[in-house]
Amino acid sequence: MKAKLAIAPIAWSNDDLPELGGDTPLETCLRESRAAGFSGVETGGKFPTAIADLRRELTSHNLQLASGWYSGTVLDAPDDLAAEKDKVAGQLALFSALGAACLAYGETAGTIQNKRNAPLNTRRRLSEDEIRVYGHRLTRFAEHCAEAGVPLAFHHHMGTAIESEHDIDLLLRHTGEAVGLLYDAGHLAFAGGDVLRVIEKHGSRIVHVHAKDIRAPIIDGLDRDRDSFLDAVLKGAFTVPGDGSLDFGAIVKRIAGTGYEGWFVVEAEQDPAKAPPAEYAVKGYDALSRALVDAGYTIEGHAA
């Protein structure tokens, strides 16, 4: 089986907390990503959105475009999805031209992930009937993305309407195959889900993987009636594989058992002043690459 390793730019800066690494140049992010061993990156707020400009930046550092976040609002969109299709058009064209594996879709209608004053327990919650309606609409949007050459990978995320294992179960029950799953062990564990059980249940839907670790003592110590998602990030809830509480050896072996091949993206929403990005990029790359090799993967561009 084949795997590719990428890193997300939030190791260097966070679009929801621009004071964290906001002054770090994109060139630094890309150069240090490549130096750590990664062959790809995901996009963030610092990346150019013109095809020629982004191709030039990536080529200059010998990096591929793995994917990138899209702030979707299909949950509250009119049924014709016209405005949502217009909003995503530029990103689909960019990703299709540069060979991205998927669009990392995050549902941001009503999200509190970017609100410092919104406690974790105030996030939007949906009934199964609401998820059924949403799932049908999301499937049509995913089919539109696929027709444009970019499959949709749904990113369950803390602070959003699809956060918990139960939410994921319902969403995948009420969506068609065009809606792939972006599996993120860190967000799943933070939400109280079973990181291995979700792979067992939904492995056939996994089309992209974010490898994010957690610091369980910090998450366990949060007051979810007072602390926001961004408070948790600042306290150090997340880190790279090999530096936290999750067993990525077991997680990757379970993913391998589904037959998944593709990108594994190291991601860690941390304060770069406390967790130097270049150092943690290397740490995450080393830990994840060991887990991949142990699970039987061949890593593209990896020197064993």
Side-chain angles (χ1 to χ4, degrees):
M1 293 184 298
K2 296 180 180 179
K4 295 185 283 188
L5 279 169
I7 191 165
I10 57 173
W12 284 265
S13 61
N14 192 313
D15 290 343
D16 291 330
L17 282 169
E19 64 269 28
L20 298 185
D23 56 350
T24 304
L26 174 62
E27 195 280 334
T28 299
C29 303
L30 298 180
R31 173 171 44 80
E32 293 182 348
S33 294
R34 191 65 188 130
F38 294 98
S39 59
V41 292
E42 292 193 333
T43 55
K46 294 178 180 178
F47 284 67
T49 56
I51 293 170
D53 292 342
L54 183 53
R55 178 180 284 118
R56 183 171 55 252
E57 291 284 359
L58 295 176
T59 300
S60 68
H61 294 279
N62 193 25
L63 290 165
Q64 301 173 52
L65 178 61
S67 182
W69 175 271
Y70 172 72
S71 294
T73 51
V74 168
L75 178 58
D76 289 341
D79 279 340
D80 65 9
L81 295 173
E84 197 74 32
K85 290 177 181 178
D86 286 344
K87 186 175 76 169
V88 78
Q91 195 165 348
L92 290 180
L94 179 70
F95 281 22
S96 177
L98 295 180
C102 62
L103 183 77
Y105 182 99
E107 183 53 66
T108 60
T111 187
I112 61 167
Q113 72 192 72
N114 56 355
K115 295 179 172 60
R116 187 76 189 273
N117 62 348
L120 286 158
N121 278 344
T122 63
R123 65 106 176 176
R124 187 173 183 177
R125 288 175 167 80
L126 304 176
S127 68
E128 182 167 3
D129 283 343
E130 289 172 318
I131 290 178
R132 181 183 295 108
V133 173
Y134 172 51
H136 293 164
R137 192 180 304 141
L138 183 65
T139 298
R140 290 192 287 110
F141 182 71
E143 290 168 348
H144 169 75
C145 293
E147 289 170 3
V150 186
L152 184 147
F154 190 93
H155 190 341
H156 54 96
H157 196 289
M158 290 298 299
T160 71
I162 305 296
E163 175 188 277
S164 69
E165 181 177 348
H166 181 62
D167 296 333
I168 296 168
D169 291 344
L170 291 178
L171 182 75
L172 295 182
R173 180 183 303 166
H174 296 297
T175 51
E177 291 298 318
V179 178
L181 176 64
L182 191 164
Y183 173 84
D184 188 312
H187 278 282
L188 183 57
F190 193 152
D194 187 312
V195 297
L196 299 180
R197 183 170 61 212
V198 167
I199 300 168
E200 287 295 316
K201 289 188 291 187
H202 304 301
S204 65
R205 300 287 290 274
I206 295 174
V207 296
H208 202 58
V209 175
H210 277 183
K212 182 193 282 108
D213 211 333
I214 63 163
R215 296 184 176 98
I218 290 176
I219 288 176
D220 292 344
L222 294 171
D223 181 345
R224 298 193 182 214
D225 290 321
R226 299 186 63 179
D227 290 322
S228 68
F229 173 69
L230 294 181
D231 288 333
V233 169
L234 289 169
K235 289 180 179 183
F238 291 123
T239 186
V240 297
D243 188 58
S245 305
L246 299 179
D247 181 354
F248 271 89
I251 290 169
V252 171
K253 284 180 181 176
R254 196 65 61 92
I255 292 172
T258 71
Y260 172 80
E261 293 186 291
W263 289 103
F264 287 81
V265 183
V266 168
E267 193 180 36
E269 295 163 84
Q270 300 192 86
D271 183 345
K274 297 178 181 178
E279 174 187 331
Y280 277 78
V282 171
K283 186 179 294 187
Y285 181 91
D286 288 348
L288 187 56
S289 61
R290 284 195 301 271
L292 287 165
V293 171
D294 288 347
Y297 280 102
T298 298
I299 305 172
E300 180 181 290
H302 175 66

